[in-house]
């Protein structure tokens, strides 16, 4: 190769590199200034607030400080369903919430079906697999972008009236539950009287005796200060808590691809942070609950009775899904069960 050719080749490669750097710089430059409001119901130092803060830091780091995230804990922007409506309208940008999307499309009720998942591997096999991909598509068609899903905690029962050690003890208990048909059907099948109340109103409802008890993840029981107005705790583990980091579909449509990539990447990295933070703290929370409330474990026999009574609820809601979607769920759970 001649010296002249080598020189020309070097100039050409240099020009290509320069062009590449310019293109990279232009792509980075596409990130514009934005302020993102992130709402959630829990306040204080806990996995939810720490994980939300991690997401905030990731967005601001990946955007070079151009995209700012403002955190609104303690239901400052309203209860979950109100915030979901605001996201769909493009009024609020983001929320971290439990799975309430069944109010928008019944397919999301899969995450709320009692006793469907025996451990978190089974839950993540659904949320991270083909079934989860289909749910993300459904969410997007309904004005919501799922940036991540996170769990690591079970929903358990508390009440102020009596220890729950048998199904007989559930009879007639007024239990607050989510504004969700699966939960309402489940507790009614077990003999309780379920009442759907928005979370910001729950403490007062328990304090005033409007309801006798409630069911929630341990973190909500502790950080929501529900132990102050409850007496008995029963580790029913009837349902795996699933949280979602959601973004407004209308706002998403106004973002360019580089800005969307910032949010996707921050959602993915914070997903692992969220999952680990919740799982690590759940057992510590159980110890704190035991210091304040009377823990009344269920025997294996009583738990089997609960599962039997819940089976018609499971069948009813699984039958409401598209058969192919239901099969995806069963296959995902089977792929990890017993391993």
């Amino acid at each position: 190769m001649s010296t002249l050719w080598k020189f020309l080749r070097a100039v050409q490669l240099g020009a290509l590199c320069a062009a590449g750097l310019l293109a990279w710089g232009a792509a980075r430059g596409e990130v514009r200034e934005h302020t993102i409001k992130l709402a959630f119901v829990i306040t204080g130092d806990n996995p939810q607030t720490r994980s939300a803060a991690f997401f905030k830091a990731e967005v601001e780091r990946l955007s070079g400080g151009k995209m700012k995230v403002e955190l609104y804990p303690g239901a400052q922007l309203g209860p979950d369903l109100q915030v979901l409506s605001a996201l769909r309208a493009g009024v609020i940008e983001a929320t971290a919430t439990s799975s309430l999307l069944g109010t928008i499309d019944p397919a999301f009720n899969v995450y709320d079906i009692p006793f469907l998942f025996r451990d978190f591997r089974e839950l993540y096999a659904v949320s991270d697999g083909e079934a989860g991909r289909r749910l993300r598509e459904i969410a997007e068609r309904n004005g919501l972008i799922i940036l991540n899903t996170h769990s690591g905690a079970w929903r358990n029962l508390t009440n102020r009236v009596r220890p729950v050690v048998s199904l007989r003890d559930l009879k007639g208990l007024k239990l607050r539950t989510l504004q969700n048909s699966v939960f309402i059907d489940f507790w009614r099948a077990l003999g309780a009287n379920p009442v759907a109340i928005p979370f910001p109103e729950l403490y007062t409802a328990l304090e005033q005796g409007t309801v006798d008890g409630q069911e929630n993840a341990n973190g909500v029981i502790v950080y929501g200060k529900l132990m102050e107005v409850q007496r008995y705790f029963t580790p029913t583990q009837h349902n795996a808590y699933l949280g979602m980091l959601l973004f407004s579909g209308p706002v998403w449509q106004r973002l360019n691809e580089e800005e969307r990539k910032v949010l996707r990447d921050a959602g993915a990295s914070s997903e692992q942070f969220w999952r680990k933070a919740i799982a690590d703290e759940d057992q510590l929370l159980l110890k704190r609950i035991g210091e304040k409330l009377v823990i009344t474990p269920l025997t294996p026999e009583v738990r089997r009775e609960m599962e039997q009574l819940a089976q018609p609820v499971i069948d009813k809601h699984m039958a409401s899904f598209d058969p192919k979607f239901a099969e995806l769920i069963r296959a995902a759970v089977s792929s990890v069960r017993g391993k």
Side-chain angles (χ1 to χ4, degrees), residues 311-336:
Q311 193 59 52
V313 178
I314 297 171
D315 294 341
K316 171 187 172 181
H317 288 280
M318 287 294 287
S320 71
F321 302 148
D322 175 84
K324 291 182 179 178
F325 178 65
E327 184 52 38
L328 284 175
I329 296 162
R330 294 189 184 94
V333 171
S334 297
S335 70
V336 295

Side-chain angles (χ1 to χ4, degrees), residues 31-42:
V31 177
R32 298 160 295 176
E33 292 188 357
H34 296 276
T35 298
I36 295 166
K37 296 183 290 293
L38 172 55
F40 47 98
V41 299
I42 301 298

Side-chain angles (χ1 to χ4, degrees), residues 132-146:
R133 185 188 67 79
R134 293 197 181 189
L135 289 171
R136 288 191 291 274
E137 291 175 351
I138 293 172
E140 188 164 359
R141 290 198 297 270
N142 285 276
L144 295 165
I145 305 298
I146 299 176

Side-chain angles (χ1 to χ4, degrees), residues 272-285:
Q272 298 308 315
F273 186 98
W274 232 301
R275 291 181 181 187
K276 187 175 188 305
I278 293 173
D280 286 349
E281 192 150 18
D282 202 48
Q283 291 305 308
L284 297 175
L285 292 170

Side-chain angles (χ1 to χ4, degrees), residues 95-248:
T95 186
T97 181
S98 58
S99 176
L100 287 174
L101 298 191
T103 60
I104 294 171
D105 190 289
F108 284 96
N109 286 334
V110 62
Y111 293 127
D112 300 325
I113 293 177
F115 302 120
L116 181 62
F117 306 111
R118 293 179 182 172
D119 58 41
F120 299 113
R121 295 178 311 128
E122 296 179 2
L123 175 65
Y124 291 142
V126 172
S127 68
D128 297 350
E130 178 62 20
R133 185 188 67 79
R134 293 197 181 189
L135 289 171
R136 288 191 291 274
E137 291 175 351
I138 293 172
E140 188 164 359
R141 290 198 297 270
N142 285 276
L144 295 165
I145 305 298
I146 299 176
L147 293 178
N148 77 38
T149 58
H150 45 271
S151 189
W154 297 101
R155 299 183 75 91
N156 294 303
L157 172 69
T158 69
N159 85 94
R160 57 184 287 172
V161 177
R162 54 181 173 266
V164 173
V165 295
S166 71
L167 286 166
R168 182 174 60 253
D169 299 319
L170 279 171
K171 296 293 183 183
L173 274 184
K174 292 180 292 182
L175 294 180
R176 180 270 178 181
T177 191
L178 288 170
Q179 294 156 286
N180 179 300
S181 61
V182 181
F183 283 96
I184 291 170
D185 288 348
F186 169 62
W187 289 111
R188 191 170 288 146
L190 266 57
N193 180 17
V195 182
I197 296 175
F199 184 80
E201 301 171 21
L202 175 56
Y203 184 96
T204 302
L206 291 169
E207 185 178 40
Q208 296 178 349
T210 305
V211 290
D212 302 316
Q214 61 87 51
E215 49 87 32
N216 243 310
N218 293 345
V220 178
I221 295 168
V222 172
Y223 298 120
K225 300 182 180 180
L226 303 185
M227 294 186 295
E228 295 176 359
V229 286
Q230 295 285 267
R231 187 174 179 185
Y232 303 103
F233 174 91
T234 306
T236 49
Q237 295 190 349
H238 54 276
N239 180 259
Y241 161 83
L242 182 84
M244 293 183 181
L245 178 60
L246 302 174
F247 197 84
S248 166

Side-chain angles (χ1 to χ4, degrees), residues 58-112:
E58 284 290 275
V59 169
E60 294 176 358
R61 178 182 68 83
L62 292 169
S63 68
K66 292 184 177 180
M67 300 173 73
K68 305 289 187 183
V69 178
E70 296 178 348
L71 303 181
Y72 291 87
Q76 293 179 53
L77 302 184
D80 279 333
L81 288 179
Q82 181 178 314
V83 169
L84 280 180
S85 295
L87 256 70
R88 298 178 75 191
V91 177
I92 296 174
E93 288 79 12
T95 186
T97 181
S98 58
S99 176
L100 287 174
L101 298 191
T103 60
I104 294 171
D105 190 289
F108 284 96
N109 286 334
V110 62
Y111 293 127
D112 300 325

